[in-house]
Coordinates of all heavy atoms in Angstrom, one line a residue:
V41 N 22.1 3.0 -28.2 CA 22.3 3.2 -26.8 C 22.4 4.7 -26.5 O 21.7 5.1 -25.5 CB 23.6 2.5 -26.4 CG1 24.0 2.9 -25.0 CG2 23.5 1.0 -26.5
D167 N 0.9 -17.3 -6.4 CA 2.2 -16.6 -6.3 C 2.4 -15.6 -7.5 O 3.5 -15.2 -7.8 CB 3.3 -17.6 -6.4 CG 3.3 -18.5 -7.6 OD1 2.3 -18.4 -8.4 OD2 4.1 -19.4 -7.8
D176 N 1.5 -2.1 -16.8 CA 0.6 -3.0 -17.5 C 1.2 -3.5 -18.8 O 0.7 -4.5 -19.4 CB -0.8 -2.4 -17.8 CG -0.7 -1.1 -18.7 OD1 0.4 -0.7 -19.0 OD2 -1.8 -0.5 -18.9
Y229 N -12.4 -10.9 12.6 CA -11.2 -10.8 13.5 C -11.0 -12.0 14.4 O -11.9 -12.8 14.7 CB -11.3 -9.5 14.3 CG -12.3 -9.6 15.4 CD1 -11.9 -9.9 16.7 CD2 -13.6 -9.3 15.2 CE1 -12.9 -10.0 17.8 CE2 -14.6 -9.3 16.2 CZ -14.2 -9.7 17.5 OH -15.1 -9.7 18.5
F235 N -0.2 -14.1 17.6 CA -0.2 -14.3 16.1 C 1.1 -13.6 15.6 O 1.6 -12.6 16.1 CB -1.4 -13.6 15.5 CG -2.7 -14.0 16.1 CD1 -3.4 -13.2 17.0 CD2 -3.2 -15.2 15.8 CE1 -4.6 -13.6 17.5 CE2 -4.4 -15.7 16.3 CZ -5.1 -14.9 17.2
S251 N -16.9 12.0 -1.2 CA -16.2 13.3 -1.0 C -14.8 13.0 -0.7 O -14.3 12.0 -0.3 CB -16.9 14.1 0.1 OG -16.4 13.6 1.4
G268 N -5.7 2.1 23.5 CA -5.4 3.4 23.9 C -4.4 4.0 23.0 O -4.3 3.6 21.8
P290 N -8.7 2.5 -7.3 CA -8.2 1.6 -6.1 C -6.7 1.4 -6.2 O -6.2 1.1 -7.2 CB -9.0 0.3 -6.4 CG -9.3 0.3 -7.8 CD -9.4 1.7 -8.3
G335 N -19.3 -9.9 -13.5 CA -18.3 -10.2 -14.5 C -17.1 -10.9 -13.8 O -17.2 -11.5 -12.8

Side-chain angles (χ1 to χ4, degrees):
V41 173
D167 57 357
D176 60 0
Y229 69 96
F235 305 105
S251 79

